[in-house]
Amino acid sequence: MTRVLLALVLLVSAASAQAAVRIKDIADIKGLRENQIVGYGLVIGLNGTGDTLRNAPFTEQSLQSMLENMGINVRNETTSTNNPPRPTTLRTRNVAAVMVTADLPPSIGPGERMDVTVSSLGDATSLLGGTLVMTSLRAADGAVYAVAQGAVTVAGYSVGGQAQNVSQGTPTAGRIPNGALVEREVQGSLHEMEFLVLELKNPDFVTATRILDAINRYAGGRYRAQIAFERDYRTIVLSKPRHIGPVRFLAEVGELTVEPDTPARVVINERTGTVVIGRDVRISTVAVTHGNLTVRVTEMPVVSQPAPFSRGQTVVVPQTVVEANEAGSQVAILSGVDLQRLVRGLNQIGLKPSGIIAILQAIKTAGALQADVIVQ
């Protein structure tokens, strides 16, 4: 069953690699990207699951600063006119310090909303039922681009008592759908770009050439001009015709289909036993055998009873049984003319994923695997 599933996965991967894909799925527009923003805030309204202020002093300082900004003095209190002021000790467990993160989409304008992620900083056990207080979100330039506030949605939970605790998911992190209000627009737009540049997500010389030919072939029939030229194996520069807008132009170019080229690569994940073999992987003719040696050690202690009236003692005598078994193996000849024949040759040996991983690594060491091996 394992061999059949492995063959199906590899064959599906090969078939999908041969299919044509849209240009917008394998390339991005340079300059149109998301920007990361981050902020520090407080989540209030927790049911005793917030930070312990003694263990998280930054939460106490933030709470004091927030209350002072609202005109409430909690740092000092005076007992009498003759005694000096003394600090007030806060004992609440309904507040948690959090980091708020979000990705600012390109071309988003002021007044639009987006989702934010809220993550606990202190020793809070859960953010369930909490509400984020207005938090400014800044980018790398230090400017405020959005303000977040709202009820936190938490998928996980954690409940328990003194002897047992049950948890599912991560209750100390959550999201606020449409919780951030954009206050500033990111500089730059399509209309300000003199040239439009396509950046390949997986840079490759063959893929870049195919995209270039597909765009020029389409532009030659529609615009009677060659509008694309390559800068390197990663980027393709487009010269937009004057009588068409950039949005419509990129929409037409993005719908063109090409067949991307994939490198000869074998990806191995030893923890999960996953093996992914690329379509162009080739193996020179090589003979392979693989066998497993199983050693079983069994402890069978025996109780030794003394003879009657011998004044002896009852003792436990250790007894160990060792069995060694080496399963029979076959010698198979692998010659990777194509992916189907390579998979068929590996299945002939009757291996589990761990065995296939060991064989592929050994073939690579022998110099017969004509591909890059990536071990995760």
Side-chain angles (χ1 to χ4, degrees):
M1 186 65 179
T2 303
R3 299 194 301 269
V4 175
L5 291 177
L6 177 62
L8 289 176
V9 171
L10 296 177
L11 292 178
V12 169
S13 300
S16 60
Q18 296 176 357
V21 299
R22 297 177 300 181
I23 292 179
K24 67 179 182 180
D25 295 329
I26 59 177
D28 294 326
I29 307 300
K30 185 176 182 180
L32 292 183
R33 64 177 182 86
E34 295 181 341
N35 292 273
Q36 295 180 337
I37 52 179
V38 64
Y40 170 84
L42 293 176
V43 172
I44 62 175
L46 302 176
N47 187 18
T49 59
D51 293 338
T52 304
L53 300 186
R54 179 178 299 179
N55 298 331
F58 48 86
T59 305
E60 182 177 7
Q61 295 173 8
S62 302
L63 180 59
Q64 291 174 349
S65 299
M66 182 186 68
L67 294 177
E68 281 190 349
N69 290 334
M70 295 181 177
I72 303 173
N73 184 13
V74 294
R75 293 184 182 273
N76 301 315
E77 68 175 1
T78 304
T79 57
S80 64
T81 57
N82 298 327
N83 295 330
R86 63 181 183 181
T88 301
T89 302
L90 301 177
R91 300 182 182 276
T92 179
R93 284 295 306 271
N94 299 337
V95 182
V98 295
M99 292 298 295
V100 185
T101 58
D103 292 332
L104 191 65
S107 302
I108 190 170
E112 299 186 46
R113 290 186 172 272
M114 60 183 182
D115 300 345
V116 296
T117 302
V118 181
S119 304
S120 175
L121 275 176
D123 58 352
T125 58
S126 177
L127 299 180
L128 182 64
T131 301
L132 177 68
V133 182
M134 186 173 60
T135 302
S136 300
L137 303 181
R138 303 175 183 270
D141 58 358
V144 176
Y145 284 87
V147 177
Q149 182 172 272
V152 181
T153 301
V154 179
Y157 63 87
S158 178
V159 294
Q162 297 181 355
Q164 188 176 7
N165 186 27
V166 178
S167 62
Q168 180 179 359
T170 306
T172 54
R175 292 181 62 83
I176 306 179
N178 295 327
L181 187 64
V182 179
E183 299 291 343
R184 178 179 297 186
E185 183 178 1
V186 179
Q187 298 297 328
S189 63
L190 290 175
H191 296 277
E192 300 176 358
M193 298 181 183
E194 182 179 359
F195 295 97
L196 300 177
V197 181
L198 295 178
E199 290 185 338
L200 274 66
K201 297 179 181 179
N202 296 314
D204 183 80
F205 290 100
V206 177
T207 304
T209 303
R210 292 175 181 175
I211 293 178
L212 179 69
D213 295 340
I215 295 176
N216 284 332
R217 185 164 51 250
Y218 172 79
R222 178 172 174 79
Y223 306 114
R224 300 289 187 258
Q226 302 294 310
I227 62 174
F229 60 92
E230 71 277 13
R231 177 178 296 174
D232 49 38
Y233 74 108
R234 178 188 294 270
T235 57
I236 298 173
V237 181
L238 304 179
S239 178
K240 182 184 69 66
R242 295 182 179 180
H243 60 279
I244 187 173
V247 176
R248 179 177 294 275
F249 174 69
L250 290 176
E252 295 177 356
V253 172
E255 290 297 326
L256 300 178
T257 58
V258 296
E259 181 182 342
D261 187 64
T262 56
R265 185 174 297 169
V266 178
V267 181
I268 296 174
N269 192 321
E270 295 182 337
R271 297 187 301 273
T272 61
T274 303
V275 180
V276 179
I277 303 175
R279 178 187 58 179
D280 297 325
V281 173
R282 297 291 183 269
I283 292 182
S284 304
T285 303
V286 61
V288 178
T289 181
H290 184 78
N292 295 323
L293 176 63
T294 303
V295 179
R296 178 178 299 176
V297 179
T298 305
E299 297 291 344
M300 303 178 60
V302 178
V303 178
S304 176
Q305 292 282 356
F309 307 104
S310 61
R311 297 182 180 181
Q313 297 180 353
T314 302
V315 296
V316 178
V317 180
Q319 182 177 357
T320 304
V321 178
V322 180
E323 298 178 357
N325 182 21
E326 185 174 5
S329 59
Q330 304 178 11
V331 178
I333 298 178
L334 302 181
S335 180
V337 179
D338 52 21
L339 181 60
Q340 296 182 7
R341 188 171 300 181
L342 172 59
V343 174
R344 189 181 305 114
L346 292 174
N347 288 337
Q348 287 178 357
I349 308 177
L351 298 175
K352 295 181 179 180
S354 59
I356 294 178
I357 292 174
I359 286 181
L360 290 176
Q361 291 177 336
I363 294 176
K364 179 63 177 179
T365 304
L369 181 60
Q370 314 305 330
D372 296 331
V373 178
I374 299 178
V375 181
Q376 296 180 345

